[in-house]
């Protein structure tokens, strides 16, 4: 069976890594169902082997519609893989982040992925396909103000381990990809959201965390600028999706490879000091009179 006769679903394909992954897999001959949320993103992606589908992974009707599209494929093509890539980043101190934002972060970054996986598992079990979950370096190490985001990624890592062990006897592989810095729009959107949340902090919270939030925003921007391109990240995701004998985990970027290793061996207090030192240059400079 040729590659053009296999389907891959990629969620969160409107921009960034998702769009680049859809194009990379299409270039390798797969028929990609690319999940988008806006008509303009659909038209930007549409090509001979990329079929945009409207998919908000928090909307059950849209998730069901994509599963129905896979089941009723006019050419009877099997589902080779699901790439769970959709995600958001909402960063703020644990004390200051509203509970609605905590819940929404988990709804998108964890429960949405589970919903799509559940919907497509019947097809993946028939084809002995693959689930690829896009986690993060934040799924191994949690920076200050990343409590909610890292919490979703730590949880996704655990769910992936459980799912891998459940499905291995049935021929379905589960792979985790852990990106470090990648040049996408997520950091910019996260900075905007963080600024809005910071503006709503109490006076006492601002005194405690204001400089930290500004440092994190500056650090995130620098981290993103120095990161991998979306296209380079997409090549690793495509490898995780198509390798005959994939590893259980892949990292993207030297920063991710280093931090995931250090997190396994270094004491927590030493990691705390390393993170504080990494953040220190990004704190606002004291005003001198």
């Amino acid at each position: 069976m040729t590659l053009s006769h296999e389907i891959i679903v990629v969620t969160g394909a409107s921009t960034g890594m998702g769009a680049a992954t859809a194009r990379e897999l299409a270039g390798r001959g797969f028929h990609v169902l690319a999940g988008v949320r806006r008509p303009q993103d659909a038209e930007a992606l549409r090509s001979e082997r990329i079929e945009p589908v409207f998919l908000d992974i928090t909307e059950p009707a849209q998730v069901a519609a994509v599963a129905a599209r896979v089941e009723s494929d006019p050419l009877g093509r099997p589902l080779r893989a699901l790439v769970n890539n959709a995600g958001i980043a909402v960063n703020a101190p644990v004390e200051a982040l509203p509970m609605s934002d905590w819940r929404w972060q988990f709804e998108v970054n964890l429960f949405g992925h589970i919903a799509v996986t559940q919907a497509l598992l019947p097809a993946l079990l028939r084809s002995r396909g693959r689930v690829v979950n896009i986690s993060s370096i934040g799924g191994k190490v949690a920076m200050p103000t990343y409590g909610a985001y890292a919490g979703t990624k730590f949880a996704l890592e655990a769910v992936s381990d459980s799912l891998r062990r459940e499905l291995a006897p049935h021929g379905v592989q589960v792979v985790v990809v852990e990106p470090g810095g990648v040049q996408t729009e997520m950091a910019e959107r996260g900075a905007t959201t963080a600024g809005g949340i910071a503006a709503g902090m109490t006076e006492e919270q601002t005194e405690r965390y204001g400089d930290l939030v500004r440092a994190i925003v500056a650090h995130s921007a620098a981290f993103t600028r120095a990161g991998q391109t979306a296209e380079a990240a997409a090549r690793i995701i495509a490898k995780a999706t198509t390798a005959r004998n994939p590893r259980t985990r892949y990292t993207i970027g030297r920063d991710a490879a280093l931090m995931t290793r250090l997190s396994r061996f270094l004491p927590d207090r030493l990691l705390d000091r390393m993170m504080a030192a990494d953040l220190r240059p990004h704190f606002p400079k004291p005003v001198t009179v």
Side-chain angles (χ1 to χ4, degrees):
M1 185 171 289
T2 62
L3 295 183
S4 60
H5 288 100
E6 293 182 306
I7 292 173
I8 294 179
V9 173
V10 179
T11 70
S14 294
T15 60
M17 284 196 306
T21 298
R23 293 188 175 104
E24 177 69 24
L25 291 168
R28 297 184 183 208
F30 295 98
H31 184 80
V32 180
L33 299 182
V36 300
R37 296 179 63 189
R38 301 179 302 177
Q40 58 266 40
D41 295 328
E43 293 312 309
L45 269 178
R46 193 181 304 278
S47 68
E48 181 183 359
R49 289 198 175 99
I50 298 179
E51 178 186 338
V53 291
F54 289 105
L55 178 58
D56 179 337
I57 64 173
T58 68
E59 290 290 338
Q62 293 190 16
V63 172
V66 170
R69 165 64 186 83
V70 169
E71 293 290 342
S72 62
D73 184 70
L75 300 180
R77 292 170 290 199
L79 180 61
R80 169 67 175 269
L82 162 63
V83 180
N84 281 314
N85 170 74
I88 58 172
V90 180
N91 297 333
V94 170
E95 178 187 356
L97 187 64
M99 287 307 302
S100 58
D101 289 298
W102 279 92
R103 292 187 176 98
W104 184 241
Q105 185 101 166
F106 274 82
E107 193 66 42
V108 176
N109 288 3
L110 180 65
F111 302 137
H113 295 322
I114 294 171
V116 176
T117 302
Q118 287 181 339
L120 293 179
L121 263 179
L124 289 168
L125 285 162
R126 287 197 303 272
S127 65
R128 299 173 73 87
R130 187 170 304 176
V131 178
V132 179
N133 287 330
I134 308 303
S135 180
S136 167
I137 186 175
K140 295 296 187 183
V141 180
M143 293 279 288
T145 79
Y146 279 70
Y149 176 78
T152 66
K153 295 302 185 179
F154 269 71
L156 183 62
E157 296 264 353
V159 170
S160 299
D161 285 343
S162 183
L163 187 66
R164 185 181 69 250
R165 291 158 186 157
E166 291 167 3
L167 295 179
H170 307 289
V172 176
Q173 297 170 313
V174 179
V175 181
V176 173
V177 179
E178 299 162 339
V182 179
Q183 298 168 21
T184 69
E185 297 86 347
M186 179 179 282
E188 183 177 342
R189 292 194 297 266
T192 301
T193 304
I197 293 172
M201 290 194 300
T202 66
E203 184 177 342
E204 292 81 5
Q205 289 171 345
T206 300
E207 185 176 348
R208 276 193 290 275
Y209 307 119
D211 285 350
L212 172 63
V213 171
R214 287 188 282 274
I216 285 289
V217 169
H219 177 275
S220 178
F223 186 64
T224 300
R225 285 194 300 271
Q228 301 286 307
T229 65
E231 290 71 25
R235 288 192 288 273
I236 296 175
I237 295 171
K239 180 179 180 181
T241 306
T242 62
R244 184 179 296 275
N245 295 302
R247 303 198 299 266
T248 59
R249 280 173 170 79
Y250 291 81
T251 55
I252 297 177
R254 276 186 274 183
D255 52 351
L258 176 63
M259 287 306 296
T260 54
R261 288 184 176 88
L262 289 178
S263 68
R264 292 199 294 267
F265 302 113
L266 293 185
D268 289 344
R269 298 297 185 190
L270 181 53
L271 275 175
D272 291 350
R273 291 196 291 273
M274 288 176 59
M275 289 188 189
D278 191 37
L279 269 180
R280 197 169 297 124
H282 299 281
F283 273 81
K285 300 297 185 290
V287 177
T288 57
V289 179

